[in-house]
Amino acid sequence: KEPDDSLPKTRFPEGFRWGTATSAYQIEGATAVDGRGPSIWDTFARLPGKIRDGTNADIADDHFHLYKEDVALMKALGVKTYRFSIAWPRIFPEGRGTPNPKGLAFYQRLIDELLANDIEPYATLYHWDLPQALQDRGGWQSRDTAQAFADYTAHIVRGLGDKIGRFFTLNEIHAFVDLGYGKGIHAPGLTLAAAQLNQARHHAVLAHGLGVQAARANGRSGLKIGPAENITIALPDVETPQNIRAAEHATRELNAAYLTVMLEGRYTDAYLKEAGADAPRFTDADLKTISTRVDFVGINVYGPGAFVRERSDGSGYAQMKLPASYPHMKSPWLGFAPQALYWAPRMLQKLWAVKEIYITENGTSAADEPDEDGRIDDLDRVMFLRQYLDQLQRAINEGVPVRGYFLWSLLDNFEWADGYETRFGLHYVDYKTQKRTPKLSASFYKKLIERNALV
Ligand code: GBH
């Protein structure tokens, strides 16, 4: 027995799924190997000024070649589950049409390695690397892309479905449509007007629904599938019953075009009213498809989506502006709000009676500078995880059905428009040598998993 076995522990439920998460484009590299087609990120990263450090992900973590080493890192951490994404352009280099068997073979190798190490594979079908050929035909502005996603999903569940524990449809529709088609800071770099943007959002949620249906129609019985959305979480400024009610109301509205329509099968009145003439065009049949029953809901949780309070006249909610001195992590967008990991799953249960919840991403950027001995003492990341996980436990103790947690990320990787400057990993990656070094946070997470408890 270790001496600290006597410390009081607050345990997580038996069988709680501890995991780590990554995505294909951010770690794999090997972008021109084994017949992979180009994705919108390959194109976008080459446009001048789009990636802060001028890099791309041609090599990234070279996980395509080093996957066995990376599975060994997970084994050493003791994680029981791994959430990775499948690169659509490896499977269908042209987005649709003739599949590339070598693409699927890579994921077969990866999955076999995971299973040999007792790690359950959880796969995201789309984590932002749209085949360029589909973008050339309109990308998410085209309704055909939703159907192409369903066809791709059918192919994947037929090829890999027997060995995968859970599938996630699209990672963060909210983020990739807004940033890629609205703000132009992610691929494909467009700045569409509101009407077209709402239509692209609609096509993406439609893809989610069609994907769920295609997976059920083509996969084994008992296949499990759901979204991995970045919920915009409204937090009550002070936790009074009135403000909590206001925060629930706000959360429903702030996610109107994403989780709300997926789980309710309707766009809220306020969303349609505010969009006015820019509202998406849709049919009742679309809404039925979009809200096809899911087996669970995955949410990515980082900073506070918003702080709200009830208006004094009771007419809805007021959203507060974050003070300039509000604390944030290394990334300015990542405000420190541990209670987000309490409120987000709790609201899924309260608003939509969700019965199975996964935290599909949570984690933080940090400075991560190796000291003279090569140690990376990321005390800030450890603080972040400790505080957030304490709040997750608070939700679980109140009966919120959270079944697993995927820490973003297993290792430092290509952080989209930030390039390699921003690090989110439990393992430090030296991009010159591809050497992986566990950070202090890796020891923290390993101990936590081993004890299934915060001490
Ligand atoms: C997740 O998005 C992604 O799923 C994952 O791939 C990514 O690596 C991880 O977060 C860490 O960022 O630069 O001020 O315009 C989280 C939601 C949306 C947060 C885009 C960062 C950019 C803010 N992200 N946002 S800004």
Side-chain angles (χ1 to χ4, degrees):
K1 280 206 163 184
E2 286 188 53
D4 64 6
D5 274 356
S6 62
L7 291 172
K9 297 179 186 65
T10 37
R11 290 196 180 281
F12 284 83
E14 201 62 44
F16 189 76
R17 294 177 177 90
W18 294 108
T20 54
T22 62
S23 90
Y25 188 68
Q26 293 179 272
I27 64 166
E28 285 178 0
T31 49
V33 172
D34 280 355
R36 177 187 178 276
S39 81
I40 55 174
W41 272 94
D42 298 292
T43 311
F44 182 75
R46 281 176 171 72
L47 300 176
K50 294 297 186 186
I51 309 300
R52 208 197 300 169
D53 56 7
T55 56
N56 58 50
D58 284 0
I59 298 172
D61 294 327
D62 201 19
H63 170 78
F64 186 87
H65 297 110
L66 301 176
Y67 69 95
K68 287 192 178 173
E69 189 178 319
D70 292 338
V71 172
L73 297 178
M74 283 186 260
K75 179 81 177 168
L77 274 178
V79 298
K80 299 176 174 62
T81 2
Y82 173 46
R83 174 178 176 246
F84 61 96
S85 84
I86 296 170
W88 187 345
R90 284 197 196 283
I91 311 299
F92 287 99
E94 296 290 321
R96 59 201 322 167
T98 315
N100 166 31
K102 286 189 175 168
L104 207 65
F106 168 64
Y107 297 103
Q108 266 146 357
R109 292 197 292 278
L110 170 64
I111 290 166
D112 288 345
E113 186 68 14
L114 288 163
L115 292 173
N117 285 281
D118 289 319
I119 299 169
E120 200 184 7
Y122 279 29
T124 307
L125 290 156
Y126 181 75
H127 201 126
W128 306 358
D129 45 0
L130 188 74
Q132 180 61 41
L134 293 182
Q135 186 57 41
D136 296 342
R137 300 202 223 162
W140 291 106
Q141 284 182 265
S142 164
R143 202 180 156 96
D144 293 344
T145 298
Q147 188 54 53
F149 174 75
D151 297 343
Y152 154 68
T153 298
H155 182 74
I156 294 293
V157 301
R158 284 195 298 256
L160 305 174
D162 290 352
K163 294 177 172 176
I164 288 183
R166 275 169 179 72
F167 282 101
F168 304 98
T169 53
L170 299 100
N171 181 71
E172 299 191 352
I173 294 171
H174 195 162
F176 79 75
V177 177
D178 269 27
L179 304 174
Y181 291 79
K183 298 206 176 87
I185 58 174
H186 277 194
L190 302 177
T191 50
L192 302 178
Q196 292 162 291
L197 196 56
N198 285 329
Q199 199 62 43
R201 290 187 178 107
H202 182 72
H203 294 152
V205 288
L206 187 65
H208 158 80
L210 289 170
V212 173
Q213 294 180 354
R216 292 228 174 91
N218 293 280
R220 64 176 160 92
S221 70
L223 172 144
K224 302 242 186 286
I225 187 162
E229 191 51 49
N230 73 330
I231 187 170
T232 303
I233 183 71
L235 303 170
D237 62 347
V238 175
E239 299 181 357
T240 65
Q242 293 77 11
N243 292 337
I244 292 170
R245 204 167 50 221
E248 287 162 0
H249 178 179
T251 296
R252 187 167 170 263
E253 293 302 344
L254 291 168
N255 298 283
Y258 316 101
L259 281 173
T260 307
V261 70
M262 287 180 199
L263 298 170
E264 292 185 23
R266 61 190 297 265
Y267 286 115
T268 66
D269 296 338
Y271 170 72
L272 291 176
K273 187 161 171 242
E274 199 186 312
D278 295 328
R281 293 154 162 279
F282 62 90
T283 63
D284 285 346
D286 285 359
L287 296 178
K288 276 220 171 72
T289 303
I290 292 166
S291 58
T292 302
R293 181 184 61 78
V294 291
D295 296 297
F296 57 83
V297 174
I299 45 173
N300 296 354
V301 180
Y302 289 93
F307 279 99
V308 300
R309 63 166 174 271
E310 190 177 61
R311 286 193 190 281
S312 45
D313 61 3
S315 68
Y317 62 90
Q319 197 170 318
M320 267 152 276
K321 198 168 161 264
L322 278 191
S325 58
Y326 189 89
H328 62 77
M329 303 306 290
K330 175 102 194 310
S331 303
W333 60 266
L334 215 178
F336 183 66
Q339 72 273 35
L341 212 44
Y342 167 74
W343 288 105
R346 185 183 136 134
M347 288 203 196
L348 285 185
Q349 184 188 38
K350 179 76 196 299
L351 288 171
W352 299 300
V354 177
K355 303 230 160 33
E356 184 174 336
I357 299 170
Y358 291 90
I359 307 302
T360 35
E361 285 180 27
N362 173 244
T364 185
S365 52
D368 294 331
E369 268 144 27
D371 69 12
E372 9 0 305
D373 304 322
R375 286 183 56 94
I376 299 101
D377 289 327
D378 53 345
L379 288 160
D380 44 356
R381 183 174 284 108
V382 172
M383 175 206 70
F384 177 99
L385 294 171
R386 199 191 290 282
Q387 301 300 319
Y388 271 68
L389 286 166
D390 193 51
Q391 292 290 315
L392 181 65
Q393 189 162 62
R394 177 181 163 208
I396 293 172
N397 288 346
E398 289 179 16
V400 179
V402 183
R403 304 289 181 236
Y405 171 91
F406 296 83
L407 203 155
W408 185 274
S409 183
L410 173 66
L411 66 177
D412 295 338
N413 57 53
F414 180 75
E415 178 54 22
W416 307 114
D418 282 5
Y420 299 99
E421 279 177 5
T422 300
R423 295 174 179 268
F424 272 82
L426 290 173
H427 295 89
Y428 184 88
V429 177
D430 177 335
Y431 292 105
K432 285 198 201 79
T433 60
Q434 290 296 346
K435 182 168 185 273
R436 282 90 160 113
T437 306
K439 304 176 190 175
L440 181 67
S441 54
S443 318
F444 170 81
Y445 198 43
K446 183 181 161 77
K447 267 291 164 204
L448 168 69
I449 295 171
E450 198 177 294
R451 296 170 171 139
N452 199 29
L454 287 160
V455 173

